[in-house]
Amino acid sequence: MCEYCGCQAVESIGRLTREHDTVVDMIGLVRDAHRDGDLTRTAELARDIAAVLAPHTQVEEHGLFPALAGDFPEKIATLEEEHRAIEAVLAEAASGVPADPAWPDRLLDALAVLRAHILKEQDGVFPAALAFLSTEQWEAVEAVRARVGGQVPESSP
Protein backbone atom coordinates (compact mmCIF):
# COMPACT_ATOMS: atom_id res chain seq x y z
CA MET A 1 0.00 0.00 0.00
CA CYS A 2 0.97 3.65 -0.03
CA GLU A 3 3.96 4.96 1.84
CA TYR A 4 4.47 8.29 0.12
CA CYS A 5 2.94 10.73 2.62
CA GLY A 6 4.34 9.38 5.88
CA CYS A 7 0.91 8.83 7.45
CA GLN A 8 1.83 5.27 8.42
CA ALA A 9 4.36 6.72 10.88
CA VAL A 10 1.35 7.76 12.97
CA GLU A 11 0.61 4.69 15.10
CA SER A 12 -3.17 4.90 14.58
CA ILE A 13 -2.77 4.94 10.81
CA GLY A 14 -0.04 2.33 10.90
CA ARG A 15 -2.33 -0.05 12.77
CA LEU A 16 -5.27 0.60 10.44
CA THR A 17 -2.92 -0.06 7.52
CA ARG A 18 -1.69 -3.33 9.03
CA GLU A 19 -5.32 -4.37 9.42
CA HIS A 20 -5.91 -3.51 5.77
CA ASP A 21 -2.89 -5.60 4.79
CA THR A 22 -4.22 -8.54 6.80
CA VAL A 23 -7.63 -8.26 5.14
CA VAL A 24 -6.11 -8.02 1.66
CA ASP A 25 -4.19 -11.24 2.34
CA MET A 26 -7.40 -12.88 3.58
CA ILE A 27 -9.22 -11.80 0.42
CA GLY A 28 -6.67 -13.79 -1.56
CA LEU A 29 -7.35 -16.82 0.62
CA VAL A 30 -11.10 -16.43 0.05
CA ARG A 31 -10.52 -16.37 -3.69
CA ASP A 32 -8.46 -19.56 -3.41
CA ALA A 33 -11.13 -21.31 -1.30
CA HIS A 34 -13.85 -20.18 -3.71
CA ARG A 35 -11.87 -21.43 -6.70
CA ASP A 36 -11.44 -24.79 -4.93
CA GLY A 37 -15.16 -24.98 -4.14
CA ASP A 38 -14.44 -25.07 -0.39
CA LEU A 39 -17.52 -23.31 0.98
CA THR A 40 -16.70 -24.18 4.59
CA ARG A 41 -13.29 -22.49 4.31
CA THR A 42 -14.84 -19.57 2.42
CA ALA A 43 -17.33 -19.00 5.25
CA GLU A 44 -14.60 -19.36 7.91
CA LEU A 45 -12.51 -16.74 6.14
CA ALA A 46 -15.52 -14.43 5.85
CA ARG A 47 -15.89 -14.67 9.64
CA ASP A 48 -12.15 -14.02 10.09
CA ILE A 49 -12.36 -10.92 7.89
CA ALA A 50 -15.39 -9.72 9.82
CA ALA A 51 -13.47 -10.19 13.09
CA VAL A 52 -10.59 -8.00 11.86
CA LEU A 53 -12.95 -5.39 10.41
CA ALA A 54 -15.25 -5.04 13.44
CA PRO A 55 -12.89 -3.01 15.67
CA HIS A 56 -11.20 -1.47 12.62
CA THR A 57 -14.51 -0.04 11.41
CA GLN A 58 -15.32 1.29 14.87
CA VAL A 59 -12.02 3.18 14.96
CA GLU A 60 -12.72 4.66 11.55
CA GLU A 61 -16.38 5.50 12.08
CA HIS A 62 -16.16 6.75 15.66
CA GLY A 63 -12.68 8.25 15.61
CA LEU A 64 -11.27 9.07 12.20
CA PHE A 65 -14.34 9.72 10.05
CA PRO A 66 -16.09 12.23 12.35
CA ALA A 67 -12.92 14.33 12.35
CA LEU A 68 -12.97 14.42 8.53
CA ALA A 69 -16.71 14.51 7.82
CA GLY A 70 -16.93 18.31 7.97
CA ASP A 71 -14.40 18.68 5.17
CA PHE A 72 -15.35 15.58 3.15
CA PRO A 73 -19.00 14.76 3.92
CA GLU A 74 -19.85 12.92 0.70
CA LYS A 75 -16.67 10.84 0.69
CA ILE A 76 -17.14 9.82 4.34
CA ALA A 77 -20.81 8.97 3.75
CA THR A 78 -19.82 6.76 0.80
CA LEU A 79 -17.19 4.95 2.85
CA GLU A 80 -19.72 4.30 5.63
CA GLU A 81 -22.25 2.97 3.10
CA GLU A 82 -19.59 0.63 1.77
CA HIS A 83 -18.88 -0.56 5.31
CA ARG A 84 -22.57 -1.49 5.75
CA ALA A 85 -22.77 -3.33 2.43
CA ILE A 86 -19.59 -5.33 3.07
CA GLU A 87 -20.59 -6.14 6.66
CA ALA A 88 -23.99 -7.42 5.50
CA VAL A 89 -22.47 -9.97 3.13
CA LEU A 90 -19.84 -11.07 5.65
CA ALA A 91 -22.50 -11.42 8.36
CA GLU A 92 -24.37 -13.98 6.29
CA ALA A 93 -21.59 -16.46 7.18
CA ALA A 94 -21.78 -15.77 10.93
CA SER A 95 -23.39 -19.14 11.66
CA GLY A 96 -21.74 -21.22 8.97
CA VAL A 97 -22.06 -21.63 5.24
CA PRO A 98 -25.03 -19.56 4.02
CA ALA A 99 -27.78 -21.58 2.34
CA ASP A 100 -28.07 -19.10 -0.52
CA PRO A 101 -26.14 -20.60 -3.47
CA ALA A 102 -25.45 -17.06 -4.75
CA TRP A 103 -23.66 -16.07 -1.53
CA PRO A 104 -20.12 -17.10 -2.59
CA ASP A 105 -20.32 -14.91 -5.69
CA ARG A 106 -21.87 -12.04 -3.71
CA LEU A 107 -19.01 -12.43 -1.22
CA LEU A 108 -16.44 -12.11 -4.01
CA ASP A 109 -18.26 -8.99 -5.25
CA ALA A 110 -18.28 -7.52 -1.74
CA LEU A 111 -14.59 -8.29 -1.33
CA ALA A 112 -13.84 -6.51 -4.60
CA VAL A 113 -15.65 -3.48 -3.18
CA LEU A 114 -13.65 -3.90 0.03
CA ARG A 115 -10.37 -3.98 -1.89
CA ALA A 116 -11.23 -0.75 -3.71
CA HIS A 117 -12.48 0.72 -0.42
CA ILE A 118 -9.14 0.01 1.24
CA LEU A 119 -7.34 1.86 -1.53
CA LYS A 120 -9.64 4.88 -1.07
CA GLU A 121 -8.85 4.97 2.62
CA GLN A 122 -5.13 4.51 2.23
CA ASP A 123 -4.73 6.90 -0.67
CA GLY A 124 -7.26 9.50 0.48
CA VAL A 125 -8.51 9.26 4.04
CA PHE A 126 -5.25 8.47 5.77
CA PRO A 127 -3.21 11.22 4.10
CA ALA A 128 -6.09 13.67 4.70
CA ALA A 129 -6.14 12.69 8.37
CA LEU A 130 -2.43 13.39 8.61
CA ALA A 131 -3.00 16.86 7.18
CA PHE A 132 -6.25 17.79 8.95
CA LEU A 133 -6.50 16.15 12.38
CA SER A 134 -5.55 18.04 15.50
CA THR A 135 -3.86 16.49 18.51
CA GLU A 136 -7.24 16.28 20.26
CA GLN A 137 -8.76 14.48 17.27
CA TRP A 138 -5.91 11.96 17.21
CA GLU A 139 -6.47 11.41 20.93
CA ALA A 140 -10.14 10.70 20.17
CA VAL A 141 -9.10 8.14 17.56
CA GLU A 142 -6.81 6.47 20.11
CA ALA A 143 -9.59 6.50 22.72
CA VAL A 144 -11.86 4.60 20.33
CA ARG A 145 -9.09 2.06 19.67
CA ALA A 146 -8.53 1.61 23.40
CA ARG A 147 -12.25 0.99 23.86
CA VAL A 148 -12.75 -1.47 20.97
CA GLY A 149 -9.35 -3.16 20.91
CA GLY A 150 -8.71 -5.45 18.03
CA GLN A 151 -5.87 -7.77 17.27
CA VAL A 152 -3.85 -7.81 14.10
CA PRO A 153 -1.69 -10.84 13.47
CA GLU A 154 1.99 -9.92 13.25
CA SER A 155 2.14 -11.72 9.95
CA SER A 156 -0.72 -12.15 7.55
CA PRO A 157 -2.48 -15.53 7.33
Side-chain angles (χ1 to χ4, degrees):
M1 298 300 166
C2 106
E3 295 182 11
Y4 61 88
C5 71
C7 63
Q8 292 180 37
V10 175
E11 178 52 31
S12 297
I13 298 300
R15 186 162 180 182
L16 290 168
T17 299
R18 288 189 301 278
E19 290 165 346
H20 281 167
D21 292 345
T22 297
V23 168
V24 167
D25 289 344
M26 292 170 143
I27 290 170
L29 296 174
V30 169
R31 288 181 182 143
D32 293 344
H34 181 271
R35 180 199 62 231
D36 296 342
D38 189 343
L39 293 179
T40 300
R41 181 72 176 137
T42 300
E44 289 170 355
L45 288 162
R47 288 189 295 277
D48 291 346
I49 291 170
V52 172
L53 290 179
H56 175 95
T57 300
Q58 292 294 309
V59 171
E60 289 178 345
E61 291 189 358
H62 298 286
L64 198 57
F65 289 0
L68 295 169
D71 292 307
F72 309 101
E74 296 86 15
K75 292 187 185 309
I76 298 301
T78 297
L79 292 170
E80 289 176 337
E81 290 169 13
E82 290 172 354
H83 282 172
R84 298 296 81 74
I86 294 161
E87 289 167 346
V89 176
L90 292 172
E92 292 180 54
S95 299
V97 177
D100 180 359
W103 176 78
D105 290 330
R106 286 188 299 105
L107 175 64
L108 289 182
D109 292 344
L111 295 178
V113 170
L114 176 57
R115 185 68 179 89
H117 175 94
I118 287 170
L119 292 174
K120 286 187 245 180
E121 288 181 348
Q122 292 197 185
D123 292 343
V125 173
F126 295 172
L130 184 64
F132 286 92
L133 269 61
S134 68
T135 300
E136 294 78 21
Q137 290 168 317
W138 283 115
E139 289 170 353
V141 172
E142 286 301 319
V144 173
R145 176 61 78 177
R147 186 172 66 248
V148 301
Q151 301 246 340
V152 176
E154 288 303 313
S155 63
S156 299

